[in-house]
Amino acid sequence: MMLKNKVAVITGATRGIGREIARTYAENGAKIVMTGTNHARLQALYEDISLKGAECIAMSGDVREEETAEKVVQEAINQFQRVDILVNNAGVNQRSSTLDMAINDWKRVIDTNLNGNLYFSRAVLPYMIKQKQGKIINISSTAAKSGHPNAAPSYGASKAAVDYLTKHLALEMAPYNIVVNGLSPGPIETEMVQQWHDEYRKKVLTKVPLKRLGKPKDIAGAALFLASDLSGFITGETININGGTYMN
Ligand code: NDP
């Protein structure tokens, strides 16, 4: 019960890494506020988490809209009176070369991965500042740190900007006892990587020293650590979770 009675907002909780973080936080006593755009999956997760006895709110909405963040956070405050943890997890990937990439697709990736992150951070910060306590966890990617010829430039660029935002907010919010950190996964077995052809999957595996793809649980464990009191003196840091694929 590392998060007993903490209130956690998690974006992109309908599947993959976000869903696993929501379940892990709920198992550890947190009250969960989860978002996504897929109603059926959101409802399934709501039922799953409620059945296990955790309090939760499921709200659908697109993170690209600033209004979504405001509504979700307002609902968290209405029902639970505070927000202790924000996990900015919602994200989309894109495969295309720079020249083939449609500009609308570039905008969609930046709007989701970067702007959505900013909107949700801005929505929770006034409450965290009042509480003089808070933890923000940004889900980044190894794509932020080195070139990825198989992804469009939008993805790595959005995640590199998220890494900067993590450091910037960590400095700005330190006087209010708010810590801001990131997790940099890759590659993790979720729907996001199911688009890979067998040949590409094999190629990726040759680059993972631990010789396996990660599981959503590998990220959820680290997200639990960053949300808990165990990590109180860490801020502005983005932790690699990639089986050794990339080391700082
Ligand atoms: P999935 O594609 O499995 O899940 C993505 C989640 O984001 C879904 O819950 C989806 O919800 C949500 N989402 C996407 N767009 C929006 C939107 N516009 N508004 C609201 N929610 C949205 O991805 P993963 O679980 O694999 O990835 C989670 C995070 O981890 C992402 O930020 C990703 O970039 C990062 N990551 C993943 C890696 C991997 O190997 N899997 C590696 C490195 C980083 P819905 O469908 O309901 O809209």
Side-chain angles (χ1 to χ4, degrees), residues 12 14-15 17 37-38 62-63 89 139-140 155 159 185 188 190:
T14 52
R15 57 176 194 255
I17 292 168
T37 63
N38 184 313
D62 189 327
V63 296
N89 166 76
I139 306 299
S140 179
Y155 187 68
K159 295 296 189 179
I188 309 295
T190 66

Side-chain angles (χ1 to χ4, degrees), residues 189-201:
E189 192 88 65
T190 66
E191 283 181 34
M192 193 173 265
V193 306
Q194 275 165 13
Q195 346 160 357
W196 292 354
H197 305 299
D198 274 359
E199 208 170 301
Y200 182 64
R201 176 179 287 264

Side-chain angles (χ1 to χ4, degrees), residues 64 94 101-111:
R64 293 174 292 175
Q94 188 193 359
M101 178 182 69
I103 286 301
N104 275 345
D105 284 334
W106 162 274
K107 288 180 180 165
R108 180 176 58 90
V109 173
I110 300 291
D111 280 348

